[in-house]
């Protein structure tokens, strides 16, 4: 007999940066700043990410495109891989994402692509604690408490070894 599953994902929305902690405000500011350093001549879509580690260190990343499209790298993975390489024993607490089109200075809230979701989930599983996600728009800011919320039917190392 068929069963119906209900998935409940809590997303908190904020109307203003003032509603966030100073730490979150700074992360979002750095994510916005990182969009201006992206290399996106093909998509003209600039994405920046900033994450904070348990030790207080902040790492930023941005999208880097390539004429051979699959060779590019998203902002979220740029930041998370740098953090993993430089601070392998540090827990990632929060990652903030900002995006804008072309030369516009208006930010739009975007959700990470599937590859970034999977990469961030890997670190969440590895560190055995959730990674908060902040997505910045001009009017709305979205907060999720865990990357797992983006992948309710996730694929992890447990699927490989259990």
């Amino acid at each position: 007999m068929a069963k119906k599953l209900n998935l409940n994902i809590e997303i908190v929305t904020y109307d203003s940066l003032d509603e966030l902690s100073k730490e979150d405000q700074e992360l979002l500011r750095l994510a916005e700043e990182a969009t201006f350093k992206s290399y996106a001549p093909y998509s003209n879509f600039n994405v920046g990410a900033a994450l904070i580690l348990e030790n207080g260190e902040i790492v930023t990343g941005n999208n880097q495109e390539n004429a051979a499209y699959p060779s590019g790298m998203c902002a979220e993975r740029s930041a998370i891989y740098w953090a993993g390489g430089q601070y392998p024993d540090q827990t990632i607490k929060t990652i903030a994402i900002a995006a804008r089109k072309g030369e516009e200075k208006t930010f739009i809230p975007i959700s990470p692509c599937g590859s970034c979701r999977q990469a961030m989930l890997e670190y969440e599983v590895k560190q055995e604690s959730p990674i908060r996600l902040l997505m910045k728009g001009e009017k709305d800011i979205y907060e999720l408490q865990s990357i797992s919320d983006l992948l309710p039917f996730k694929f992890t190392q447990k699927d490989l070894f259990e």
Side-chain angles (χ1 to χ4, degrees):
M1 176 177 217
K3 295 180 183 178
K4 188 183 257 187
L5 299 174
N6 290 313
L7 301 175
N8 294 312
I9 298 170
E10 182 177 299
I11 302 171
V12 178
T13 62
Y14 300 95
D15 297 327
S16 165
L17 281 172
D18 296 332
E19 297 177 64
L20 299 170
S21 70
K22 294 294 181 199
E23 182 177 274
D24 287 347
Q25 289 178 37
E26 178 66 3
L27 275 183
L28 288 167
R29 186 190 69 75
L30 290 169
E32 286 179 344
E33 188 178 285
T35 69
F36 292 97
K37 298 175 186 173
S38 72
Y39 178 67
Y42 307 106
S43 70
N44 215 19
F45 194 74
N46 305 285
V47 182
L51 60 82
I52 188 164
L53 303 171
E54 190 172 46
N55 67 359
E57 194 73 36
I58 295 175
V59 175
T60 61
N62 46 52
N63 57 321
Q64 299 292 314
E65 294 181 349
N66 190 291
Y69 285 104
S71 299
M73 182 65 63
C74 296
E76 300 91 329
R77 282 182 286 152
S78 294
I80 209 162
Y81 290 158
W82 175 261
Q86 299 303 308
Y87 307 98
D89 298 324
Q90 286 296 310
T91 297
I92 300 166
K93 290 175 30 180
T94 302
I95 186 164
I97 305 166
R100 60 184 180 79
K101 295 177 184 176
E103 297 302 315
E104 292 181 22
K105 292 187 171 64
T106 302
F107 293 92
I108 54 176
I110 60 156
S111 182
C113 74
S115 293
C116 287
R117 290 174 187 211
Q118 188 66 41
M120 290 187 294
L121 177 68
E122 184 72 18
Y123 279 80
E124 190 172 88
V125 169
K126 175 186 166 204
Q127 68 187 31
E128 297 179 344
S129 66
I131 299 172
R132 278 179 64 237
L133 176 64
L134 297 170
M135 297 173 282
K136 168 79 168 75
E138 206 60 33
K139 295 181 181 175
D140 293 317
I141 301 157
Y142 299 95
E143 174 190 31
L144 286 89
Q145 291 302 311
S146 173
I147 299 303
S148 291
D149 290 341
L150 294 172
L151 290 165
F153 290 98
K154 51 194 145 290
F155 180 81
T156 68
Q157 57 188 255
K158 288 180 183 178
D159 297 304
L160 294 172
F161 301 117
E162 289 184 3

